[in-house]
PDB file of all heavy atoms in Angstrom:
ATOM      1  N   GLY A1208      51.776  69.236 185.179  1.00  0.00           N
ATOM      2  CA  GLY A1208      51.257  69.273 186.538  1.00  0.00           C
ATOM      3  C   GLY A1208      49.911  68.655 186.659  1.00  0.00           C
ATOM      4  O   GLY A1208      49.269  68.796 187.683  1.00  0.00           O
ATOM      5  N   GLY A1209      49.382  68.003 185.621  1.00  0.00           N
ATOM      6  CA  GLY A1209      48.054  67.427 185.673  1.00  0.00           C
ATOM      7  C   GLY A1209      48.099  65.954 185.960  1.00  0.00           C
ATOM      8  O   GLY A1209      49.136  65.359 186.171  1.00  0.00           O
ATOM      9  N   THR A1210      46.941  65.391 185.946  1.00  0.00           N
ATOM     10  CA  THR A1210      46.816  63.956 186.138  1.00  0.00           C
ATOM     11  C   THR A1210      47.126  63.247 184.850  1.00  0.00           C
ATOM     12  O   THR A1210      46.951  63.801 183.771  1.00  0.00           O
ATOM     13  CB  THR A1210      45.387  63.608 186.603  1.00  0.00           C
ATOM     14  OG1 THR A1210      44.490  64.040 185.603  1.00  0.00           O
ATOM     15  CG2 THR A1210      45.072  64.256 187.939  1.00  0.00           C
ATOM     16  N   PRO A1211      47.584  61.979 184.927  1.00  0.00           N
ATOM     17  CA  PRO A1211      47.924  61.250 183.695  1.00  0.00           C
ATOM     18  C   PRO A1211      46.738  61.132 182.778  1.00  0.00           C
ATOM     19  O   PRO A1211      45.639  60.790 183.198  1.00  0.00           O
ATOM     20  CB  PRO A1211      48.367  59.865 184.228  1.00  0.00           C
ATOM     21  CG  PRO A1211      48.793  60.113 185.643  1.00  0.00           C
ATOM     22  CD  PRO A1211      47.920  61.208 186.122  1.00  0.00           C
ATOM     23  N   GLY A1212      46.990  61.438 181.503  1.00  0.00           N
ATOM     24  CA  GLY A1212      45.960  61.275 180.496  1.00  0.00           C
ATOM     25  C   GLY A1212      45.067  62.488 180.369  1.00  0.00           C
ATOM     26  O   GLY A1212      44.136  62.476 179.592  1.00  0.00           O
ATOM     27  N   SER A1213      45.244  63.550 181.116  1.00  0.00           N
ATOM     28  CA  SER A1213      44.392  64.737 181.002  1.00  0.00           C
ATOM     29  C   SER A1213      45.255  65.969 180.839  1.00  0.00           C
ATOM     30  O   SER A1213      46.388  66.020 181.263  1.00  0.00           O
ATOM     31  CB  SER A1213      43.511  64.875 182.264  1.00  0.00           C
ATOM     32  OG  SER A1213      44.302  65.178 183.374  1.00  0.00           O
ATOM     33  N   GLY A1214      44.687  67.026 180.238  1.00  0.00           N
ATOM     34  CA  GLY A1214      45.411  68.281 180.051  1.00  0.00           C
ATOM     35  C   GLY A1214      45.124  69.283 181.144  1.00  0.00           C
ATOM     36  O   GLY A1214      45.469  70.438 181.046  1.00  0.00           O
ATOM     37  N   THR A1215      44.414  68.862 182.190  1.00  0.00           N
ATOM     38  CA  THR A1215      44.039  69.786 183.260  1.00  0.00           C
ATOM     39  C   THR A1215      45.110  69.822 184.323  1.00  0.00           C
ATOM     40  O   THR A1215      45.479  68.786 184.865  1.00  0.00           O
ATOM     41  CB  THR A1215      42.714  69.346 183.901  1.00  0.00           C
ATOM     42  OG1 THR A1215      41.745  69.225 182.869  1.00  0.00           O
ATOM     43  CG2 THR A1215      42.254  70.340 184.947  1.00  0.00           C
ATOM     44  N   PRO A1216      45.643  71.017 184.633  1.00  0.00           N
ATOM     45  CA  PRO A1216      46.683  71.089 185.669  1.00  0.00           C
ATOM     46  C   PRO A1216      46.128  70.805 187.046  1.00  0.00           C
ATOM     47  O   PRO A1216      44.937  70.952 187.281  1.00  0.00           O
ATOM     48  CB  PRO A1216      47.197  72.523 185.557  1.00  0.00           C
ATOM     49  CG  PRO A1216      46.080  73.292 184.951  1.00  0.00           C
ATOM     50  CD  PRO A1216      45.365  72.351 184.061  1.00  0.00           C
ATOM     51  N   SER A1217      46.969  70.393 187.912  1.00  0.00           N
ATOM     52  CA  SER A1217      46.567  70.105 189.293  1.00  0.00           C
ATOM     53  C   SER A1217      47.051  71.239 190.181  1.00  0.00           C
ATOM     54  O   SER A1217      48.240  71.369 190.444  1.00  0.00           O
ATOM     55  CB  SER A1217      47.197  68.783 189.749  1.00  0.00           C
ATOM     56  OG  SER A1217      46.955  68.567 191.115  1.00  0.00           O
ATOM     57  N   PRO A1218      46.111  72.094 190.601  1.00  0.00           N
ATOM     58  CA  PRO A1218      46.506  73.259 191.386  1.00  0.00           C
ATOM     59  C   PRO A1218      47.237  72.887 192.668  1.00  0.00           C
ATOM     60  O   PRO A1218      48.145  73.559 193.096  1.00  0.00           O
ATOM     61  CB  PRO A1218      45.175  73.962 191.690  1.00  0.00           C
ATOM     62  CG  PRO A1218      44.237  73.444 190.632  1.00  0.00           C
ATOM     63  CD  PRO A1218      44.684  72.067 190.330  1.00  0.00           C
ATOM     64  N   GLY A1219      46.795  71.768 193.242  1.00  0.00           N
ATOM     65  CA  GLY A1219      47.406  71.401 194.515  1.00  0.00           C
ATOM     66  C   GLY A1219      48.892  71.127 194.359  1.00  0.00           C
ATOM     67  O   GLY A1219      49.698  71.490 195.182  1.00  0.00           O
ATOM     68  N   ARG A1220      49.237  70.489 193.306  1.00  0.00           N
ATOM     69  CA  ARG A1220      50.634  70.133 193.111  1.00  0.00           C
ATOM     70  C   ARG A1220      51.434  71.382 192.758  1.00  0.00           C
ATOM     71  O   ARG A1220      52.598  71.502 193.139  1.00  0.00           O
ATOM     72  CB  ARG A1220      50.770  69.094 192.020  1.00  0.00           C
ATOM     73  CG  ARG A1220      50.151  67.775 192.416  1.00  0.00           C
ATOM     74  CD  ARG A1220      50.405  66.748 191.375  1.00  0.00           C
ATOM     75  NE  ARG A1220      51.834  66.560 191.188  1.00  0.00           N
ATOM     76  CZ  ARG A1220      52.391  65.388 190.972  1.00  0.00           C
ATOM     77  NH1 ARG A1220      51.648  64.305 190.949  1.00  0.00           N
ATOM     78  NH2 ARG A1220      53.685  65.291 190.795  1.00  0.00           N
ATOM     79  N   GLU A1221      50.852  72.333 191.968  1.00  0.00           N
ATOM     80  CA  GLU A1221      51.577  73.538 191.648  1.00  0.00           C
ATOM     81  C   GLU A1221      51.850  74.354 192.913  1.00  0.00           C
ATOM     82  O   GLU A1221      52.925  74.911 193.096  1.00  0.00           O
ATOM     83  CB  GLU A1221      50.774  74.392 190.667  1.00  0.00           C
ATOM     84  CG  GLU A1221      50.742  73.798 189.268  1.00  0.00           C
ATOM     85  CD  GLU A1221      49.943  74.691 188.315  1.00  0.00           C
ATOM     86  OE1 GLU A1221      49.326  75.650 188.791  1.00  0.00           O
ATOM     87  OE2 GLU A1221      49.953  74.406 187.118  1.00  0.00           O
ATOM     88  N   ALA A1222      50.858  74.421 193.769  1.00  0.00           N
ATOM     89  CA  ALA A1222      51.016  75.227 194.980  1.00  0.00           C
ATOM     90  C   ALA A1222      52.074  74.628 195.898  1.00  0.00           C
ATOM     91  O   ALA A1222      52.816  75.330 196.568  1.00  0.00           O
ATOM     92  CB  ALA A1222      49.669  75.345 195.719  1.00  0.00           C
ATOM     93  N   GLU A1223      52.079  73.289 195.937  1.00  0.00           N
ATOM     94  CA  GLU A1223      53.007  72.672 196.859  1.00  0.00           C
ATOM     95  C   GLU A1223      54.432  72.565 196.285  1.00  0.00           C
ATOM     96  O   GLU A1223      55.380  72.335 197.016  1.00  0.00           O
ATOM     97  CB  GLU A1223      52.533  71.264 197.212  1.00  0.00           C
ATOM     98  CG  GLU A1223      51.197  71.282 197.956  1.00  0.00           C
ATOM     99  CD  GLU A1223      50.663  69.895 198.144  1.00  0.00           C
ATOM    100  OE1 GLU A1223      51.341  68.940 197.694  1.00  0.00           O
ATOM    101  OE2 GLU A1223      49.571  69.746 198.729  1.00  0.00           O
ATOM    102  N   GLY A1224      54.559  72.767 194.926  1.00  0.00           N
ATOM    103  CA  GLY A1224      55.889  72.616 194.327  1.00  0.00           C
ATOM    104  C   GLY A1224      56.390  71.198 194.506  1.00  0.00           C
ATOM    105  O   GLY A1224      57.475  70.985 195.060  1.00  0.00           O
TER     106      GLY A1224
END
Side-chain angles (χ1 to χ4, degrees):
T1210 60
S1213 68
T1215 305
S1217 173
R1220 293 185 60 141
E1221 288 181 352
E1223 296 173 0

